[in-house]
Amino acid sequence: MVGVFNSIEHSVPKNAGSFRRIDVLLRENCVVGIPKHPTSTSVATTNVADRVANSVQAAVADLADGFGLAECGAVIPPAVGVISGIHPATGAPFVNQVFLGMTGGAGAPAADAWVTIGHVGNAGLCYIDSIELDELRQPIHVYGRRLLPNTEGAGRHRGAPSIEVDFGPLAGDLSVGYVSDGAANPPLGVRGGLAGGNADQWRIAANGARERLPPARRSRSAPAIISSRSRPVAVATGRRPTAIRMRSSAMSRSAG
């Protein structure tokens, strides 16, 4: 339904009358469908739902010029991961999800991307954290945050550029839980528009050496552990990226 309403005239009301015009077909035991206990539905409202909404709005764009959208960037890079550890000043445990950087906007038929849409389901409702406030509230240091050139997906109307975030712990170890979609399959353009940038993430050692991290590290199983001698970098898909000192990055898309 998100993909449908993203694709048509904005004046169509989002109410029960409009919703009744859409038939949603679901099957049991599908990735996108009706889960059976004890199947996990983790990231059902983000990563999984995003793939469905993106497919719908891209398909509508292929029907006729002036409708639909390119694909929005995927989530959840380390730059918007769940961080936890032991505070070096107090010895007390801490945990929080940070939103240090994500872009994700898709090119539209009549406009460039909303750069900080977050992801297709979020629709721009999420604010990006203040670096200064995050550094006050958690024992972390943000080394840098920047938009990356040539990652937006060129086209008649462009997508959002990827964002790179470089952060890490002040002291001790920092656990970063994330599920960074878009590393293998970046957001696609439509009607001839180009794809956005891939997501990526690295751990940066004290000597500057980079170690690429896998796309998914869940805090209950195998979170990325960043010591005070390293940091992460994340790149969010273009829409976005992340680095962890780690540091981080993201990805984006465009409409042709």
Side-chain angles (χ1 to χ4, degrees):
M1 292 175 69
V2 169
V4 169
F5 283 99
N6 278 356
S7 302
I8 59 178
E9 171 58 40
H10 68 88
S11 61
V12 176
K14 284 69 175 175
N15 59 23
S18 298
F19 295 168
R20 284 196 296 269
R21 310 315 301 163
I22 302 173
D23 291 329
V24 180
L25 305 180
L26 298 174
R27 293 183 299 160
E28 289 187 343
N29 265 356
C30 297
V31 172
V32 180
I34 304 170
K36 287 187 174 181
H37 182 76
T39 302
S40 171
T41 55
S42 177
V43 303
T45 60
T46 50
N47 304 60
V48 175
D50 285 357
R51 288 296 178 179
V52 178
N54 276 329
S55 298
V56 171
Q57 64 195 36
V60 173
D62 284 341
L63 293 176
D65 198 9
F67 297 93
L69 283 176
E71 291 185 355
C72 293
V75 285
I76 304 167
V80 293
V82 176
I83 63 171
S84 60
I86 302 298
H87 201 298
T90 64
F94 69 91
V95 60
N96 193 22
Q97 182 170 12
V98 293
F99 292 87
L100 283 166
M102 54 181 180
T103 53
D112 290 338
W114 182 342
V115 173
T116 55
I117 198 170
H119 62 103
V120 63
N122 183 271
L125 291 176
C126 181
Y127 291 138
I128 302 299
D129 287 357
S130 159
I131 289 175
E132 291 79 7
L133 290 179
D134 273 355
E135 290 179 336
L136 283 172
R137 291 166 176 161
Q138 291 94 200
I140 64 172
H141 179 68
V142 180
Y143 295 85
R145 177 166 64 184
R146 66 190 184 103
L147 296 175
L148 300 181
N150 303 318
T151 56
E152 69 281 355
R156 185 195 315 166
H157 296 107
R158 68 177 191 172
S162 296
I163 186 170
E164 181 178 270
V165 181
D166 180 352
F167 70 102
L170 287 177
D173 290 343
L174 180 71
S175 174
V176 184
Y178 62 92
V179 189
S180 183
D181 195 5
N185 297 292
L188 299 178
V190 295
R191 306 193 68 80
L194 302 183
N198 292 73
D200 213 342
Q201 46 279 320
W202 307 272
R203 177 167 23 218
I204 300 178
N207 64 2
R210 287 192 174 205
E211 172 197 356
R212 177 168 270 116
L213 296 172
R217 301 298 289 257
R218 291 175 296 172
S219 56
R220 288 189 61 189
S221 56
I225 304 298
I226 309 305
S227 74
S228 58
R229 298 178 301 280
S230 66
R231 69 185 193 272
V233 173
V235 176
T237 61
R239 336 291 198 252
R240 65 196 155 261
T242 303
I244 309 171
R245 220 86 107 173
M246 277 178 47
R247 350 189 224 279
S248 102
S249 73
M251 59 197 189
S252 67
R253 315 258 183 295
S254 74

